[in-house]
Amino acid sequence: VQLQASGGGLVQPGGSLRLSCVASRRIFATNAMTWYRQAPDKQRELVAVITSTQDTQYADSVKGRFTISRNNARSAVYLQMNSLKPEDTAVYYCNAFTGAPPPDYGLDDWGKGTQVTVSS
């Protein structure tokens, strides 16, 4: 398995979730890593990026609410999501950062992702 995301679930608005993703060494070792998400009937979008030196960037829609981190020894990347909103509902995927444009960002292996549903 190249990419395995987990930690999704059903949460009420205002709640929190922490997503985890383990990537193969081939993908993780020299790449910036990214969390993406895809809501129903919408294009996949970039949520957060973290470089191998821990620099981070976030989509405007999640700034101040989400935090991306990584554990290089474990080839793992995490997404702490706080103050969740219904519009955060989507399937979340982790993958390498390529700089390529949507919809596929130059990637063809996405794994299964993990479903996040924010609803009361």
Side-chain angles (χ1 to χ4, degrees):
V1 177
Q2 303 257 55
L3 296 156
Q4 191 161 11
S6 61
L10 173 63
V11 62
Q12 292 187 341
S16 298
L17 283 173
R18 185 174 188 252
L19 306 184
S20 300
C21 177
V22 176
S24 68
R25 292 294 297 175
R26 180 184 67 81
I27 292 174
F28 195 90
T30 60
N31 280 303
M33 293 297 294
T34 305
W35 282 99
Y36 303 84
R37 68 184 180 187
Q38 188 166 19
D41 299 322
K42 291 190 176 180
Q43 184 171 268
R44 187 173 283 140
E45 63 175 347
L46 187 152
V47 175
V49 182
I50 185 166
T51 69
S52 58
T53 55
Q54 309 285 351
D55 294 322
T56 59
Q57 289 187 344
Y58 298 91
D60 288 343
S61 58
V62 306
K63 278 181 184 175
R65 300 188 298 121
F66 290 11
T67 303
I68 189 171
S69 60
R70 65 190 285 163
N71 184 321
N72 291 334
R74 297 183 178 180
S75 297
V77 60
Y78 309 99
L79 188 68
Q80 178 65 44
M81 306 187 296
N82 298 329
S83 302
L84 283 161
K85 304 176 181 180
E87 51 264 43
D88 294 318
T89 296
V91 179
Y92 284 71
Y93 304 85
C94 71
N95 215 323
F97 175 74
T98 63
D104 292 327
Y105 300 92
L107 298 163
D108 56 11
D109 182 3
W110 286 90
K112 292 185 178 180
T114 186
Q115 175 71 48
V116 171
T117 303
V118 185
S119 175
S120 55

